[in-house]
Amino acid sequence: TKSGERILHTRKVPVKNTVGESIYLLGISEDITDQKNLEKNLRESEERFRHLFEKSPDAMFIVEIESSRISQCNLAAAALFRGRLDQIVGKLPSDLSPDTQPSGESSAETLGNMIKNTLKHGRYRCEYIKKKFDGEIFWADLHTSIVQVQSKQTILMAVRDISKMKLLEEDLRRS
């Protein structure tokens, strides 16, 4: 610890004579200070991540790599998609999208490419069409990166509505 104290894990075993009587106690101590400090630091790091995740103004999702399903999302995600957390968790990110993207590619294929690129490069960014629970379609800026959540590799996905920016870009092109 910071004060120089050490944390010990001690095991005591009675040592018996040939008639089965305890004649002394054998003690073995192991210094587990470093392990306890690592556990504390990991807990604090996970708490900081959880706080940042939950309080982010951007819609945030944790996507499981094996299943490609959303395992967690924040309140900003529920607000952006006009749904509830329990409506979002368990879905594929492509379930929150129209069937096809403007490129003509299916949203499921685009999701697969996003996951492949994230795994290959450690992060990925793209513009993607999303769909709210009430059916409204909007342009989204998606940022993904690989993060460890509870010692498991997952994808952190941040989603921001950029529909107004896309409309302004279109207006500029027309003028």
Side-chain angles (χ1 to χ4, degrees):
T1 64
K2 290 180 181 176
S3 64
E5 295 175 1
R6 305 302 292 172
I7 301 170
L8 300 176
H9 178 254
T10 303
R11 287 177 230 120
K12 298 174 188 139
V13 180
V15 176
K16 300 180 181 191
N17 62 18
T18 56
V19 259
E21 300 169 327
S22 294
I23 53 174
Y24 59 90
L25 192 61
L26 174 65
I28 302 170
S29 294
E30 178 183 9
D31 186 342
I32 60 169
T33 306
D34 292 341
Q35 177 185 339
K36 289 295 183 182
N37 287 337
L38 285 172
E39 289 171 2
K40 179 180 177 245
N41 291 341
L42 179 60
R43 257 190 326 276
E44 289 171 355
S45 175
E46 286 177 347
E47 286 172 22
R48 280 191 305 274
F49 175 80
R50 185 174 47 256
H51 179 78
L52 291 170
F53 179 84
E54 290 173 356
K55 301 297 181 185
S56 173
D58 289 330
M60 304 290 278
F61 303 86
I62 300 292
V63 178
E64 300 295 325
I65 292 172
E66 300 81 38
S67 67
S68 300
R69 295 197 177 273
I70 298 167
S71 62
Q72 297 176 48
C73 66
N74 65 1
L75 291 174
L80 177 61
F81 285 88
R82 297 186 187 133
R84 297 182 320 271
L85 298 176
D86 66 333
Q87 287 177 292
I88 297 170
V89 171
K91 292 205 176 300
L92 297 167
S94 57
D95 292 338
L96 303 174
S97 306
D99 291 338
T100 57
Q101 293 295 306
S103 65
E105 185 177 52
S106 77
S107 291
E109 287 176 277
T110 304
L111 168 67
N113 290 332
M114 179 198 68
I115 290 173
K116 284 179 196 168
N117 280 305
T118 302
L119 294 174
K120 183 177 180 179
H121 303 290
R123 69 180 88 194
Y124 186 68
R125 181 179 179 194
C126 66
E127 292 179 351
Y128 192 79
I129 298 287
K130 300 300 283 174
K131 184 178 174 184
K132 299 180 182 188
F133 281 97
D134 62 9
E136 181 184 332
I137 304 292
F138 69 99
W139 275 100
D141 186 27
L142 269 71
H143 292 258
T144 60
S145 58
I146 297 173
V147 295
Q148 294 286 108
V149 176
Q150 297 170 343
S151 304
K152 186 177 178 183
Q153 198 174 53
T154 62
I155 294 176
L156 174 66
M157 180 188 301
V159 178
R160 188 176 289 169
D161 186 341
I162 59 168
S163 298
K164 289 178 184 172
M165 184 183 79
K166 293 298 255 181
L167 287 172
L168 290 172
E169 286 176 0
E170 187 61 33
D171 288 347
L172 282 173
R173 270 194 286 278
R174 286 188 205 142
S175 58

